[in-house]
Structure formats: structure tokens, C-alpha cells
Amino acid sequence: MNNNYGFGQIIMTLILAMCLKIVPLPDMFALVNPDWVLLTLIYWALAIPDRVGIFHAWTFGLLTDVLTGRLIGQYALAYSLVIYLCLSLHRRLRQFPFVQQALFIFFCLLLSQLLLFFIKNIHSTAELKPTFWLPVLVGTLCWPLVYTVLRFVRLAKSIK
Amino acid sequence: MVSIALLTTEHVSLHLDPLRTALSLVVDPIRYLVDLPSETAGRINYSIRSYSSLRDENKGLRETQLANQIRLLKYEALEKENIRLRALLENSYKLGEQVLIAELLSVNITPPYENIVVANKGTRFGVHPQQAVVDTNGIVGQVLRALPNSSEIMLITDPNHAIPVQVNRNGLLTIAVGTGELNRLKLPFLPDNADIRPGDLLITSGLGGTFPQGYPVAVVDAFDLPAGKQVTATPKAALDRNRELMIVWSNTKPITLSPDPLQSPEPKPEPAKTPAPLVIKDNANEQ
């Protein structure tokens, strides 16, 4: 059991997250739909930092770029930066209580959202609206959910 | 880092298109997967409809078909007349369009204030960027990016989209810009004394070359003149309701009319048919 790499499970959860990212929702929910792919990546980076790292983040960022029809490389850049932060802090983060962890997640999501906004602003004008904050806030609120579900997956498949 | 390099490369050039195409082969199944539930729902809904409702629908469709056929008869005569008149004026005649029916995938790839949708036909069917997309009521948008199995379509209401239009009543030229709301366009470039009234139909002017000329785009909303505010318009196409779209191939090469103008449009539609295998209809454009 010790060398259960769980490669398939990790990929499956990430693909599921990508589905959630583009699922059609009524306007109100579409405004608050958080970045599921990033949340999933953060979880795996904190749980098994030796296997899920910047390479995963970059690859899935690239796929997300194509999936959402963005300039190639912007999600890749944002995700790899955030995952780099997570990797360098993962020992401390694991000791944190839930609230503190959620705060960290909040800043991670904010960083990625800001980067995406800057990049968008460079190639076409973008408006900074109050709704900018909603996915970040909702993403933070969803973190316990993501954490529990993915932890369940990880323990059920005993991925170490 | 590599991503910054990628970003700048794609920002300035088109060299990354093969990469995007390759990656889209991985990602497209996800789009279709997300679309699956609503498509199945539609299919089930279709297969359990009762016999009588189908019969009624069939009857209604037959009637509209008949009416359309008769209108087409007249249209053909008018078209010939138009060609003759243009020959008298020694003008050139632009031959028409072909359409490919595509269906929207119910996926939501952008934040709500950007209006980009995904359709299920891509470069395999010959779709290419900057093609006009219409539905039965009017212009929907243009193809932003064509991938092998799907294509991304920017709607005319996207804030980054502008479409050259013409007031049908008097030929006044202007540009309609998207607002981000699915039911609103704005006309920011009108002089104060422009002859435009609420209820005017805006059609594509054909300037710029992306959109073929003469398709309805929007109807001008009621506005207050002294307020000096921007004039807005409501798109004709049912942007938030339609699932079926038509992607238009316009034949931009004008035919110079020979002394025998009636002969020239006849042989043209045949060679034009080859690029799109799934062409279901081709009709000549007005003017």
C-alpha cells in the first residue's frame, strides 16, 4: 500500500474540477462559481507535495487555458505560482487550524484571480467590478468541503 | 518562466495555434461531457413527445415551408431583377452565402460579463475564425477561435465586440458595440443630429468584411433625445434561447457582371460547395 501513487485518482479529481469550472449555471451562481481546479490542486499539493507539484499545476493550467479559451499560459502561470507558495509553506500549513488555513486559501485564490485580471487587462480592457471578489470568497467557503471530499478520496484509496 | 514566454508569444502571433489544437483534443471531451446531461434531457424530451403534438408540429412546419417556398419564388425573380439593374449600372454583384448548422454546447467557459459560447462544429467542418454566425432572426456573433471539434463564438453583445451596422430605413452607417448584457447593444458613435428613431431596424453594412451585408442585427430602443445619452438597441437574434446556430460562409469575391448577366450566377454555387462538406442550403445574397 505504501507505493500507491494514486495517479489515476488525482487526474480524475482534477478532471472533475475542470467539469465543475465550465458547468452552465444560472447567472447568480455563475458569478460566484469558484476556481475548483485551483482548490483541488492546492489540496493535493498540501497532502502529497512530493508528487503533485508545479509540473502538475502548470500542465493543468495549460489545459484550463485551452478549456476556457483564454490566452495560452495565463492559468498555467497563476496556478504554478500559487502551487509554488503552497509547496514552500506546506509543512507550516498542515499544522494550522482550519480558519488559518482558510485565510491562506483566500490569499491564494486572490493572487490567482489578480494575476488573471492583470493579464486580461494587458490584452483587452477589463473592468474591475465588485463581483471580482465573489469567486474568491465562495472559494474560501468551499475549502472545507473540498478538503473533506478529497481527504475522503485520499484515505479511501490510501494514497500516501 | 515558460508561461510568460507562452503568454507573450500568443499575444503577438499565431504560432501557438498547433499547440492549442493539440491540447484541445485533450480538453474537448470535457466540454462534451459537461454538455451530456442537457443533451440527454433534450433527447429524452424529444423521444417521449406524443403522437398528436408531433403531428401538429409537422403540420405547422409544412405550412411555414409552403409560405417560405412561395416567398423564395418571388425572391428569385427579385434577385434576377437586381442583377439586371446592377448590370445596367455596371456594378458588381456579390454572390451569396452558404451555411452550416451547428449546435451550442451548454458549457459556460467565461465569466458572466463576457459573452463567448461554444458550438459543436470546428475546423473538421471547415469552420475558420471570423466567420459570421447567424440564427433565424439575425446575427449572433462571429467565430473567435476554431478548434478541431468545437469552436468558440463571440456574441455581438460581448463588451469587446463591435459590428458595423446600417439603419435599414435610410442607410445611416454606424457601429454597434456590445455591452455585456445579452439583450443590449449600444451605438456610441452617433452624431447628435443623426436621423435615427426608436424602432429602426439595424442591418449589417458589410463594411469590414467579416459580416455579410444585409442581415438584421438589432432594433433601436426607445430613447430620450434631450438627455443626450447613448442610443441602445435590442438584438434580433435570440441570444439566450437558441441552441441551433448557422455558421455562414460568405463568398467575398464579387462577380463582375458579363454582358449576359443572367448566366453568371448559375455556375457559381457549384464550385463554392466544395469547402464545406455539410452545406445544407445555399442561397444568393441580396445586393
Side-chain angles (χ1 to χ4, degrees):
Chain A
M1 277 304 193
N2 221 354
N3 47 10
N4 185 352
Y5 283 101
F7 188 70
Q9 281 82 27
I10 296 172
I11 302 290
M12 279 311 291
T13 51
L14 282 169
I15 288 180
L16 195 69
M18 283 164 98
C19 288
L20 276 176
K21 196 174 166 64
I22 61 164
V23 85
L25 294 166
D27 268 359
M28 220 190 74
F29 293 104
L31 273 179
V32 301
N33 198 8
D35 196 342
W36 297 101
V37 186
L38 184 57
L39 284 173
T40 318
L41 277 171
I42 291 176
Y43 176 80
W44 287 120
L46 292 184
I48 38 173
D50 46 337
R51 249 168 283 139
V52 177
I54 294 180
F55 178 72
H56 276 73
W58 194 78
T59 318
F60 275 89
L62 216 56
L63 289 178
T64 315
D65 281 324
V66 177
L67 182 72
T68 56
R70 297 287 130 144
L71 220 55
I72 277 191
Q74 62 186 61
Y75 274 110
L77 177 65
Y79 287 179
S80 8
L81 274 180
V82 169
I83 295 304
Y84 171 73
L85 272 183
C86 291
L87 285 180
S88 51
L89 296 175
H90 76 269
R91 283 203 189 79
R92 239 179 295 170
L93 279 168
R94 282 190 196 159
Q95 311 303 326
F96 280 173
F98 239 60
V99 180
Q100 223 165 330
Q101 239 178 39
L103 197 68
F104 176 75
I105 301 298
F106 175 79
F107 281 113
C108 282
L109 293 175
L110 187 63
L111 173 67
S112 125
Q113 184 94 331
L114 266 177
L115 274 173
L116 294 177
F117 178 77
F118 286 149
I119 294 167
K120 187 173 151 50
N121 215 357
I122 289 170
H123 73 100
S124 67
T125 51
E127 251 180 280
L128 190 57
K129 295 183 178 175
T131 51
F132 170 86
W133 292 95
L134 287 176
V136 179
L137 286 172
V138 174
T140 312
L141 293 179
C142 285
W143 170 247
L145 177 77
V146 174
Y147 184 84
T148 334
V149 171
L150 290 180
R151 188 182 164 78
F152 176 75
V153 171
R154 184 167 73 92
L155 294 183
K157 301 289 174 193
S158 56
I159 302 164
K160 297 217 169 136
Chain B
M1 278 217 286
V2 190
S3 15
I4 296 180
L6 278 178
L7 272 175
T8 41
T9 322
E10 192 175 35
H11 188 43
V12 294
S13 76
L14 294 171
H15 286 309
L16 283 180
D17 269 5
L19 175 66
R20 188 180 280 277
T21 309
L23 286 177
S24 80
L25 289 180
V26 183
V27 166
D28 265 349
I30 298 182
R31 288 179 171 178
Y32 281 90
L33 188 72
V34 172
D35 179 52
L36 201 63
S38 69
E39 207 209 315
T40 340
R43 215 173 267 173
I44 291 172
N45 190 6
Y46 183 72
S47 58
I48 60 172
R49 254 190 295 176
S50 71
Y51 169 71
S52 63
S53 77
L54 277 179
R55 196 186 46 200
D56 289 349
E57 190 186 333
N58 199 349
K59 197 175 155 214
L61 285 177
R62 202 165 290 175
E63 277 164 12
T64 24
Q65 155 86 358
L66 205 65
N68 283 342
Q69 203 81 43
I70 291 166
R71 212 169 294 160
L72 263 183
L73 283 177
K74 219 166 164 185
Y75 176 79
E76 226 146 73
L78 281 175
E79 190 195 341
K80 292 272 158 62
E81 185 184 331
N82 197 344
I83 294 172
R84 268 201 304 277
L85 290 174
R86 280 185 174 261
L88 284 178
L89 292 169
E90 297 192 337
N91 214 333
S92 61
Y93 180 74
K94 229 180 223 179
L95 192 74
E97 294 97 39
Q98 304 171 330
V99 296
L100 167 71
I101 293 200
E103 210 168 294
L104 279 189
L105 296 181
S106 51
V107 296
N108 179 16
I109 61 168
T110 51
Y113 46 85
E114 274 175 61
N115 302 324
I116 294 174
V117 295
V118 182
N120 68 350
K121 297 276 162 65
T123 46
R124 281 203 184 158
F125 290 87
V127 177
H128 58 83
Q130 296 198 335
Q131 270 182 305
V133 180
V134 301
D135 74 355
T136 47
N137 297 317
I139 295 273
V140 170
Q142 61 173 300
V143 177
L144 183 66
R145 192 175 281 138
L147 300 171
N149 288 319
S150 60
S151 51
E152 286 152 25
I153 294 168
M154 185 182 255
L155 301 182
I156 48 174
T157 51
D158 190 282
N160 287 321
H161 192 270
I163 175 172
V165 293
Q166 185 174 18
V167 177
N168 197 25
R169 182 167 51 84
N170 54 10
L172 175 73
L173 293 169
T174 184
I175 290 174
V177 181
T179 57
E181 291 168 53
L182 274 178
N183 57 357
R184 206 53 83 236
L185 291 172
K186 58 184 178 194
L187 306 170
F189 307 116
L190 280 174
D192 282 347
N193 59 352
D195 177 17
I196 191 163
R197 293 181 207 152
D200 274 348
L201 177 67
L202 300 173
I203 61 174
T204 49
S205 66
L207 296 178
T210 303
F211 294 97
Q213 196 205 0
Y215 279 98
V217 177
V219 176
V220 177
D221 296 327
F223 57 88
D224 268 344
L225 259 185
K229 279 204 291 188
Q230 269 179 358
V231 180
T232 58
T234 311
K236 288 282 277 182
L239 293 178
D240 46 351
R241 274 156 285 160
N242 258 24
R243 242 177 103 81
E244 267 95 35
L245 302 170
M246 282 165 273
I247 300 176
V248 179
W249 274 260
S250 56
N251 217 343
T252 43
K253 210 189 288 169
I255 312 166
T256 41
L257 289 171
S258 55
D260 190 8
L262 292 186
Q263 296 302 318
S264 56
E266 250 56 86
K268 277 285 171 173
E270 295 311 313
K273 247 184 168 146
T274 38
L278 223 85
V279 165
I280 51 124
K281 178 175 100 177
D282 58 13
N283 53 0
N285 185 19
E286 57 269 61
Q287 294 200 342

